Amino acid sequence: MGAHPQARRQVRQLHKAVPKAQHMVVGRELRRLREAQGLSQAEAASLLGVKNYTISRNETGGTPCKPEIVRKALKIYRATPEEEEHLLEVLENANRRRWWQGSEWRGVVKQKLLTLVTLEENAKLIRVYDRDRVPGLLQTAEYARAVIRLGMPGAPEEEIEKRVQFRLERQARFRGSGSAHYLCLLDEVSLIRGFGSKEDMRGQVSHLVELADDPRISLHIVELARLNLPIGFGQTMLFDFEEELLPTVLYEEGHESGLVCQEPDEVDQRCKSFDRLLKASLSKNRSKQRLIDMLAKLESKGSRK
Protein backbone atom coordinates (compact mmCIF):
# COMPACT_ATOMS: atom_id res chain seq x y z
CA MET A 1 0.00 0.00 0.00
CA GLY A 2 1.57 3.25 -1.11
CA ALA A 3 1.68 6.31 1.11
CA HIS A 4 1.52 9.94 0.13
CA PRO A 5 5.12 11.25 -0.20
CA GLN A 6 4.58 13.79 2.60
CA ALA A 7 3.30 11.07 4.91
CA ARG A 8 6.26 8.82 4.17
CA ARG A 9 8.72 11.65 4.92
CA GLN A 10 6.98 12.15 8.24
CA VAL A 11 7.31 8.44 9.01
CA ARG A 12 11.06 8.54 8.37
CA GLN A 13 11.49 11.67 10.46
CA LEU A 14 9.61 10.15 13.36
CA HIS A 15 11.70 7.00 13.24
CA LYS A 16 14.95 8.92 13.15
CA ALA A 17 13.79 10.94 16.14
CA VAL A 18 13.00 7.79 18.14
CA PRO A 19 9.87 9.06 19.90
CA LYS A 20 8.82 7.58 23.21
CA ALA A 21 5.11 7.27 23.94
CA GLN A 22 5.23 9.48 27.02
CA HIS A 23 6.89 12.33 25.13
CA MET A 24 4.44 11.86 22.27
CA VAL A 25 1.62 12.50 24.76
CA VAL A 26 3.28 15.75 25.91
CA GLY A 27 3.91 16.85 22.34
CA ARG A 28 0.35 16.17 21.25
CA GLU A 29 -1.05 18.29 24.08
CA LEU A 30 1.34 21.16 23.31
CA ARG A 31 0.29 21.06 19.67
CA ARG A 32 -3.38 21.14 20.67
CA LEU A 33 -2.84 24.18 22.87
CA ARG A 34 -0.78 25.97 20.22
CA GLU A 35 -3.35 25.41 17.51
CA ALA A 36 -6.13 26.56 19.85
CA GLN A 37 -4.37 29.95 19.92
CA GLY A 38 -4.08 30.02 16.13
CA LEU A 39 -0.29 29.98 16.22
CA SER A 40 1.84 28.33 13.56
CA GLN A 41 4.95 26.38 14.54
CA ALA A 42 7.10 29.20 13.21
CA GLU A 43 5.23 31.81 15.27
CA ALA A 44 5.45 29.67 18.40
CA ALA A 45 9.17 29.10 17.84
CA SER A 46 9.74 32.85 17.57
CA LEU A 47 7.85 33.56 20.78
CA LEU A 48 9.67 30.78 22.63
CA GLY A 49 13.10 31.72 21.27
CA VAL A 50 13.75 28.29 19.75
CA LYS A 51 14.07 26.93 16.24
CA ASN A 52 11.02 25.83 14.26
CA TYR A 53 12.67 22.41 14.00
CA THR A 54 12.65 22.14 17.81
CA ILE A 55 8.91 22.81 17.98
CA SER A 56 8.27 20.17 15.31
CA ARG A 57 10.34 17.51 17.09
CA ASN A 58 8.85 18.38 20.48
CA GLU A 59 5.33 17.99 19.14
CA THR A 60 6.02 14.58 17.57
CA GLY A 61 7.83 13.36 20.68
CA GLY A 62 11.10 12.99 18.81
CA THR A 63 12.92 15.38 21.15
CA PRO A 64 11.93 15.40 24.84
CA CYS A 65 10.50 18.76 25.89
CA LYS A 66 12.56 20.76 28.36
CA PRO A 67 10.50 21.69 31.43
CA GLU A 68 11.43 25.38 31.15
CA ILE A 69 10.26 25.47 27.51
CA VAL A 70 7.01 23.72 28.42
CA ARG A 71 6.30 26.19 31.22
CA LYS A 72 6.96 29.13 28.91
CA ALA A 73 4.83 27.58 26.17
CA LEU A 74 1.94 27.02 28.58
CA LYS A 75 1.92 30.77 29.37
CA ILE A 76 2.08 31.76 25.70
CA TYR A 77 -0.62 29.25 24.78
CA ARG A 78 -2.81 30.54 27.62
CA ALA A 79 -3.28 27.15 29.22
CA THR A 80 -5.66 26.97 32.16
CA PRO A 81 -4.21 26.17 35.61
CA GLU A 82 -5.74 22.69 35.31
CA GLU A 83 -4.16 22.13 31.87
CA GLU A 84 -0.82 23.40 33.15
CA GLU A 85 -0.86 21.15 36.20
CA HIS A 86 -1.87 18.12 34.12
CA LEU A 87 0.77 18.60 31.42
CA LEU A 88 3.60 19.21 33.89
CA GLU A 89 2.59 16.02 35.69
CA VAL A 90 2.65 14.11 32.38
CA LEU A 91 6.07 15.59 31.59
CA GLU A 92 7.45 14.56 34.98
CA ASN A 93 6.18 11.03 34.38
CA ALA A 94 7.71 11.04 30.89
CA ASN A 95 11.13 11.89 32.31
CA ARG A 96 10.95 9.28 35.08
CA ARG A 97 13.53 6.50 34.88
CA ARG A 98 12.11 3.33 33.29
CA TRP A 99 12.87 -0.33 34.01
CA TRP A 100 14.56 -0.78 30.64
CA GLN A 101 17.09 1.94 31.48
CA GLY A 102 18.73 -0.32 34.05
CA SER A 103 22.43 -1.15 33.69
CA GLU A 104 21.63 -4.81 33.03
CA TRP A 105 20.07 -3.85 29.70
CA ARG A 106 22.88 -1.59 28.53
CA GLY A 107 23.64 -2.33 24.88
CA VAL A 108 20.44 -4.35 24.48
CA VAL A 109 17.85 -1.59 24.18
CA LYS A 110 18.50 -0.28 20.70
CA GLN A 111 16.72 2.78 19.34
CA LYS A 112 13.81 0.94 17.76
CA LEU A 113 13.09 -0.86 21.04
CA LEU A 114 12.85 2.42 22.97
CA THR A 115 9.74 3.35 21.04
CA LEU A 116 8.26 -0.15 20.99
CA VAL A 117 8.56 -0.74 24.74
CA THR A 118 7.03 2.62 25.66
CA LEU A 119 4.14 2.05 23.25
CA GLU A 120 3.52 -1.35 24.84
CA GLU A 121 3.56 0.23 28.30
CA ASN A 122 0.91 2.84 27.49
CA ALA A 123 -1.48 1.17 25.03
CA LYS A 124 -4.91 -0.18 25.95
CA LEU A 125 -5.07 -2.37 22.81
CA ILE A 126 -2.20 -3.82 20.75
CA ARG A 127 -3.06 -5.24 17.32
CA VAL A 128 -0.35 -7.29 15.60
CA TYR A 129 0.18 -9.09 12.31
CA ASP A 130 3.46 -10.70 11.28
CA ARG A 131 3.72 -12.95 8.24
CA ASP A 132 7.11 -14.35 9.19
CA ARG A 133 7.15 -15.22 12.89
CA VAL A 134 5.21 -15.44 16.12
CA PRO A 135 5.22 -11.91 17.63
CA GLY A 136 7.71 -11.19 20.42
CA LEU A 137 5.21 -10.92 23.29
CA LEU A 138 3.96 -14.45 22.50
CA GLN A 139 7.31 -16.21 22.03
CA THR A 140 8.77 -18.89 24.27
CA ALA A 141 12.38 -18.46 25.37
CA GLU A 142 13.55 -21.25 23.03
CA TYR A 143 11.72 -19.82 20.02
CA ALA A 144 12.95 -16.28 20.79
CA ARG A 145 16.51 -17.57 21.10
CA ALA A 146 16.29 -19.23 17.67
CA VAL A 147 14.82 -16.09 16.04
CA ILE A 148 17.40 -13.77 17.59
CA ARG A 149 20.31 -16.08 16.80
CA LEU A 150 19.24 -16.30 13.15
CA GLY A 151 18.99 -12.51 12.94
CA MET A 152 22.41 -12.01 14.55
CA PRO A 153 24.76 -14.52 12.90
CA GLY A 154 28.10 -14.64 14.65
CA ALA A 155 26.93 -12.73 17.73
CA PRO A 156 28.27 -13.94 21.11
CA GLU A 157 25.88 -16.18 23.01
CA GLU A 158 25.98 -13.74 25.92
CA GLU A 159 24.52 -10.97 23.75
CA ILE A 160 21.87 -13.27 22.33
CA GLU A 161 20.89 -14.41 25.82
CA LYS A 162 20.56 -10.81 27.07
CA ARG A 163 18.17 -10.06 24.21
CA VAL A 164 16.15 -13.18 25.00
CA GLN A 165 15.88 -12.16 28.64
CA PHE A 166 14.85 -8.64 27.65
CA ARG A 167 12.06 -10.07 25.50
CA LEU A 168 10.90 -12.25 28.39
CA GLU A 169 10.96 -9.22 30.68
CA ARG A 170 8.72 -7.35 28.21
CA GLN A 171 6.31 -10.27 28.35
CA ALA A 172 6.32 -10.29 32.15
CA ARG A 173 5.68 -6.55 32.26
CA PHE A 174 2.77 -6.94 29.85
CA ARG A 175 1.24 -9.73 31.93
CA GLY A 176 1.76 -7.78 35.11
CA SER A 177 0.13 -4.61 33.78
CA GLY A 178 -3.29 -6.28 33.69
CA SER A 179 -4.64 -3.58 31.41
CA ALA A 180 -3.81 -3.79 27.71
CA HIS A 181 -5.47 -6.30 25.40
CA TYR A 182 -3.53 -8.07 22.65
CA LEU A 183 -5.15 -9.00 19.33
CA CYS A 184 -2.88 -11.07 17.11
CA LEU A 185 -3.34 -12.34 13.57
CA LEU A 186 -1.12 -15.45 13.42
CA ASP A 187 -0.15 -16.30 9.87
CA GLU A 188 -0.29 -20.08 9.57
CA VAL A 189 2.82 -20.11 7.40
CA SER A 190 4.87 -18.83 10.36
CA LEU A 191 3.77 -21.85 12.40
CA ILE A 192 4.50 -24.32 9.61
CA ARG A 193 7.93 -23.00 8.66
CA GLY A 194 8.99 -22.18 12.21
CA PHE A 195 12.28 -21.46 13.95
CA GLY A 196 14.65 -23.56 16.00
CA SER A 197 14.17 -27.30 16.39
CA LYS A 198 10.99 -29.38 16.09
CA GLU A 199 10.96 -29.56 19.87
CA ASP A 200 11.16 -25.76 20.04
CA MET A 201 8.16 -25.51 17.71
CA ARG A 202 6.17 -27.98 19.79
CA GLY A 203 6.86 -25.84 22.82
CA GLN A 204 5.88 -22.67 20.96
CA VAL A 205 2.59 -24.06 19.65
CA SER A 206 1.80 -25.50 23.10
CA HIS A 207 2.41 -22.04 24.58
CA LEU A 208 0.01 -20.49 22.04
CA VAL A 209 -2.66 -23.03 23.01
CA GLU A 210 -2.30 -21.89 26.63
CA LEU A 211 -2.39 -18.22 25.67
CA ALA A 212 -5.61 -18.80 23.71
CA ASP A 213 -7.41 -19.09 27.08
CA ASP A 214 -6.10 -15.75 28.34
CA PRO A 215 -9.03 -13.28 28.31
CA ARG A 216 -6.68 -10.42 27.42
CA ILE A 217 -5.30 -12.18 24.33
CA SER A 218 -7.18 -12.84 21.10
CA LEU A 219 -5.47 -15.17 18.62
CA HIS A 220 -6.81 -15.48 15.08
CA ILE A 221 -5.11 -17.72 12.54
CA VAL A 222 -4.70 -16.50 8.96
CA GLU A 223 -5.15 -19.76 7.04
CA LEU A 224 -2.46 -20.76 4.60
CA ALA A 225 -4.81 -22.56 2.19
CA ARG A 226 -7.55 -19.94 2.03
CA LEU A 227 -7.89 -18.10 -1.28
CA ASN A 228 -8.08 -14.33 -1.81
CA LEU A 229 -6.86 -13.28 1.61
CA PRO A 230 -6.33 -9.48 1.90
CA ILE A 231 -2.67 -9.75 2.96
CA GLY A 232 -1.27 -6.93 0.84
CA PHE A 233 0.52 -5.28 3.76
CA GLY A 234 3.56 -6.15 5.80
CA GLN A 235 4.42 -6.57 9.45
CA THR A 236 2.09 -4.35 11.45
CA MET A 237 1.67 -3.24 15.03
CA LEU A 238 -1.18 -0.87 15.87
CA PHE A 239 -1.32 0.74 19.30
CA ASP A 240 -4.59 2.17 20.60
CA PHE A 241 -4.63 4.38 23.68
CA GLU A 242 -7.06 6.00 26.04
CA GLU A 243 -8.71 8.76 24.03
CA GLU A 244 -7.09 11.64 25.90
CA LEU A 245 -3.55 10.28 25.46
CA LEU A 246 -2.80 9.59 21.79
CA PRO A 247 -4.53 8.61 18.56
CA THR A 248 -3.72 5.18 17.12
CA VAL A 249 -0.01 4.77 16.33
CA LEU A 250 1.36 2.48 13.60
CA TYR A 251 4.69 0.76 14.23
CA GLU A 252 6.52 -1.30 11.62
CA GLU A 253 9.56 -3.27 12.70
CA GLY A 254 12.31 -4.11 10.25
CA HIS A 255 15.47 -6.16 10.70
CA GLU A 256 17.60 -3.23 11.83
CA SER A 257 15.05 -0.46 12.21
CA GLY A 258 11.54 0.51 13.18
CA LEU A 259 9.14 3.02 11.67
CA VAL A 260 6.58 5.01 13.62
CA CYS A 261 3.65 6.68 11.90
CA GLN A 262 1.04 9.02 13.34
CA GLU A 263 -0.28 10.30 9.99
CA PRO A 264 -4.08 9.90 10.29
CA ASP A 265 -4.67 8.86 6.67
CA GLU A 266 -1.98 6.20 6.60
CA VAL A 267 -2.85 4.86 10.04
CA ASP A 268 -6.53 4.69 9.04
CA GLN A 269 -5.67 2.74 5.86
CA ARG A 270 -3.61 0.24 7.83
CA CYS A 271 -6.36 -0.16 10.45
CA LYS A 272 -8.85 -0.94 7.69
CA SER A 273 -6.46 -3.44 6.09
CA PHE A 274 -5.96 -5.12 9.46
CA ASP A 275 -9.71 -5.30 10.06
CA ARG A 276 -10.31 -6.87 6.63
CA LEU A 277 -7.73 -9.56 7.36
CA LEU A 278 -9.20 -10.12 10.83
CA LYS A 279 -12.63 -10.66 9.28
CA ALA A 280 -11.15 -13.22 6.86
CA SER A 281 -9.26 -15.08 9.62
CA LEU A 282 -10.44 -17.91 11.85
CA SER A 283 -12.44 -17.10 14.97
CA LYS A 284 -10.82 -17.40 18.41
CA ASN A 285 -12.36 -20.82 19.04
CA ARG A 286 -11.50 -22.21 15.61
CA SER A 287 -7.99 -20.79 15.90
CA LYS A 288 -7.48 -22.52 19.24
CA GLN A 289 -8.69 -25.80 17.76
CA ARG A 290 -6.33 -25.37 14.79
CA LEU A 291 -3.45 -24.88 17.23
CA ILE A 292 -4.49 -27.97 19.21
CA ASP A 293 -4.60 -30.03 15.99
CA MET A 294 -1.21 -28.68 14.95
CA LEU A 295 0.26 -29.54 18.35
CA ALA A 296 -1.12 -33.09 18.13
CA LYS A 297 0.60 -33.57 14.76
CA LEU A 298 3.88 -32.21 16.10
CA GLU A 299 3.72 -34.50 19.13
CA SER A 300 2.82 -37.46 16.94
CA LYS A 301 5.84 -36.85 14.72
CA GLY A 302 8.02 -36.53 17.79
CA SER A 303 6.81 -39.84 19.28
CA ARG A 304 7.59 -41.73 16.06
CA LYS A 305 11.29 -40.94 16.27
Side-chain angles (χ1 to χ4, degrees):
M1 173 173 49
H4 189 281
Q6 181 64 33
R8 181 52 62 187
R9 285 197 294 273
Q10 178 73 346
V11 169
R12 286 200 296 267
Q13 178 191 6
L14 286 169
H15 164 57
K16 186 177 180 181
V18 194
K20 302 182 183 70
Q22 295 88 349
H23 291 298
M24 291 163 69
V25 173
V26 175
R28 179 174 183 252
E29 183 64 10
L30 285 175
R31 178 178 177 177
R32 183 189 69 79
L33 292 169
R34 173 180 61 76
E35 291 178 341
Q37 295 302 311
L39 294 172
S40 67
Q41 286 188 343
E43 290 169 334
S46 177
L47 291 169
L48 288 167
V50 298
K51 295 180 180 179
N52 189 19
Y53 180 64
T54 300
I55 296 292
S56 176
R57 285 176 60 107
N58 281 167
E59 290 186 356
T60 61
T63 298
C65 299
K66 295 181 179 179
E68 60 270 23
I69 295 297
V70 172
R71 291 189 179 90
K72 189 174 180 180
L74 289 169
K75 301 302 181 187
I76 293 171
Y77 299 162
R78 300 180 181 179
T80 66
E82 293 78 13
E83 289 172 331
E84 183 172 349
E85 181 181 1
H86 169 69
L87 192 57
L88 290 174
E89 183 180 341
V90 173
L91 181 62
E92 182 181 357
N93 182 55
N95 291 328
R96 191 170 296 138
R97 186 175 177 82
R98 295 296 194 238
W99 66 267
W100 37 263
Q101 293 175 303
S103 59
E104 67 270 31
W105 306 120
R106 189 173 297 121
V108 176
V109 188
K110 303 299 182 181
Q111 285 191 335
K112 68 177 183 178
L113 273 178
L114 292 177
T115 298
L116 179 59
V117 173
T118 59
L119 290 171
E120 289 173 350
E121 283 184 340
N122 289 272
K124 69 173 183 179
L125 172 64
I126 304 172
R127 292 176 283 173
V128 180
Y129 171 60
D130 193 328
R131 287 181 296 194
D132 301 320
R133 61 186 61 84
V134 173
L137 288 184
L138 307 181
Q139 294 176 2
T140 63
E142 293 76 14
Y143 184 96
R145 193 170 289 111
V147 170
I148 293 170
R149 184 177 288 123
L150 191 64
M152 299 177 62
E157 283 300 312
E158 181 181 359
E159 183 175 357
I160 291 172
E161 194 58 33
K162 285 181 70 173
R163 289 174 182 268
V164 171
Q165 294 307 314
F166 185 78
R167 190 162 299 181
L168 296 179
E169 183 66 23
R170 280 172 53 205
Q171 295 176 8
R173 297 274 173 173
F174 173 78
R175 290 193 304 271
S177 68
S179 55
H181 283 72
Y182 195 87
L183 196 166
C184 177
L185 303 183
L186 276 171
D187 202 306
E188 197 167 19
V189 71
S190 69
L191 300 175
I192 294 173
R193 183 180 296 126
F195 289 89
S197 66
K198 292 181 179 179
E199 184 177 346
D200 293 339
M201 285 307 300
R202 283 196 296 273
Q204 179 61 68
V205 175
S206 177
H207 183 55
L208 291 173
V209 171
E210 294 175 4
L211 290 176
D213 290 325
D214 189 323
R216 294 172 55 207
I217 297 176
S218 295
L219 301 181
H220 299 264
I221 288 183
V222 180
E223 295 177 278
L224 176 61
R226 180 162 180 174
L227 299 175
N228 302 315
L229 282 169
I231 55 173
F233 61 100
Q235 195 266 13
T236 295
M237 299 185 77
L238 293 162
F239 294 88
D240 296 293
F241 304 86
E242 297 293 344
E243 187 175 351
E244 66 272 15
L245 291 180
L246 287 170
T248 300
V249 172
L250 165 64
Y251 180 89
E252 296 177 316
E253 184 175 354
H255 176 56
E256 292 292 341
S257 64
L259 296 176
V260 176
C261 178
Q262 300 177 76
E263 291 291 332
D265 289 345
E266 187 166 354
V267 173
D268 183 59
Q269 288 180 30
R270 188 62 62 89
C271 288
K272 289 177 179 176
S273 296
F274 186 95
D275 289 343
R276 284 193 293 269
L277 186 55
L278 172 60
K279 187 176 180 180
S281 301
L282 294 179
S283 67
K284 283 185 62 175
N285 289 338
R286 291 181 63 196
S287 295
K288 180 182 176 181
Q289 188 58 53
R290 181 66 63 90
L291 289 168
I292 291 172
D293 295 342
M294 187 176 295
L295 180 59
K297 290 181 181 179
L298 289 170
E299 290 176 341
S300 175
K301 290 179 180 177
S303 66
R304 290 202 299 265
K305 284 186 175 182

